[in-house]
Each structure stands twice: as structure tokens, then as C-alpha cells.
Amino acid sequence: MNYKVIIKMPISNNEVPELRQLIGWERRETDYPILFQRCNFWEGVRDENKKLIAFGYVCGMGLERGYLEDIMVHPNYQKQGIGVELVKGLIQESERFGLSIVTTTFEERHANFYRACGFKVGSGGVWLSSLAID
């Protein structure tokens, strides 16, 4: 991998929504810049043209536990190890930050990816409010 994962990379407010849209997720324009103010830390990866191609973050109260969220890699750069490096970097930063437990949720088809990143996969549940479903 020739791309560098950078903690708290400067990211403009429109870049993550654009990446979200490229991978098929809702843009969630109103989340930015609020997310950068409220999460513990984030990471990003840029290509040779300085375009954001990967992003993820850890949020929580910062007391022992954190939650890994929104791991995304531009479709043209998937399956190249960028996502694994992104998650491993977030885990290392979690340890430096003082978090000893990091959890995440994902679709079952992504279980091997998270195992490759060092997660122990177990069962769990997710509650979605009607606001999240709309």
C-alpha cells in the first residue's frame, strides 16, 4: 500500500459526504463538521491527487470504551489493504487515547474483514429508531 493513513487529517465538510455517496451510503451532510467536534478521533487516506479515498472514526465518552464507526474506502481502492490499515491505525490510536475496549457493528458478510483487523467477532444486536430507518 502506497497510501498513508493519517490521524485527525484535515478534512473539509463536503469530503466525507462525497465519499459516503460513492460507496452507496446516504450523504448525511448535516453530520459535518459536528462529527469532527464530537468524535474522539478520525483517520483519513488521500490518493496521489489529494482526494479523500478512505475514512473512519472512533467515538464515545473516552472512558475505557470506544465505538469504531463508518469505515469506508472509495470503491476504486477497495481490496488493496487500505481498509485494514485504516482500522488498525484507529485501534492503535484508541490504545494511545486510553481506550481498552473498542466495539463496532457490521453486516455478517464483513466478518472476515474485521477478523483481519484483529476483532473478535461475536453476536450482538442493533436497535434502530424510526428516525434512522426513514
Side-chain angles (χ1 to χ4, degrees):
M1 180 180 97
N2 297 325
Y3 302 104
K4 186 172 181 171
V5 177
I6 300 174
I7 291 286
K8 292 196 173 178
M9 167 188 284
I11 298 174
S12 65
N13 295 339
N14 66 318
E15 289 183 288
V16 177
E18 288 173 5
L19 183 57
R20 291 178 63 91
Q21 184 176 18
L22 285 168
I23 63 170
W25 293 358
E26 181 183 344
R27 289 180 62 93
R28 298 187 58 107
E29 301 271 352
T30 58
D31 288 2
Y32 307 91
I34 297 168
L35 181 134
F36 298 121
Q37 297 165 1
R38 292 187 182 172
C39 73
N40 298 55
F41 46 85
W42 64 90
E43 277 187 333
V45 178
R46 295 190 182 280
D47 68 8
E48 56 279 349
N49 298 315
K50 307 290 187 221
K51 182 149 179 83
L52 185 69
I53 61 168
F55 175 79
Y57 66 94
V58 172
C59 61
M61 294 178 56
L63 303 171
E64 182 185 29
R65 298 174 186 261
Y67 183 75
L68 180 80
E69 192 159 25
D70 287 357
I71 302 303
M72 58 187 95
V73 178
H74 187 290
N76 294 345
Y77 296 89
Q78 292 177 2
K79 308 286 186 204
Q80 298 179 30
I82 296 170
V84 172
E85 291 302 314
L86 184 77
V87 172
K88 286 183 176 181
L90 288 166
I91 296 300
Q92 289 172 351
E93 186 65 16
S94 295
E95 289 177 337
R96 282 192 289 273
F97 195 78
L99 303 177
S100 57
I101 300 169
V102 176
T103 59
T104 191
T105 56
F106 50 86
E107 294 177 7
E108 190 172 330
R109 64 188 172 105
H110 297 301
N112 287 334
F113 168 80
Y114 284 97
R115 281 188 191 98
C117 295
F119 278 83
K120 292 181 178 139
V121 177
S123 62
V126 175
W127 173 82
L128 295 174
S129 79
S130 60
L131 296 174
I133 297 170
D134 292 340

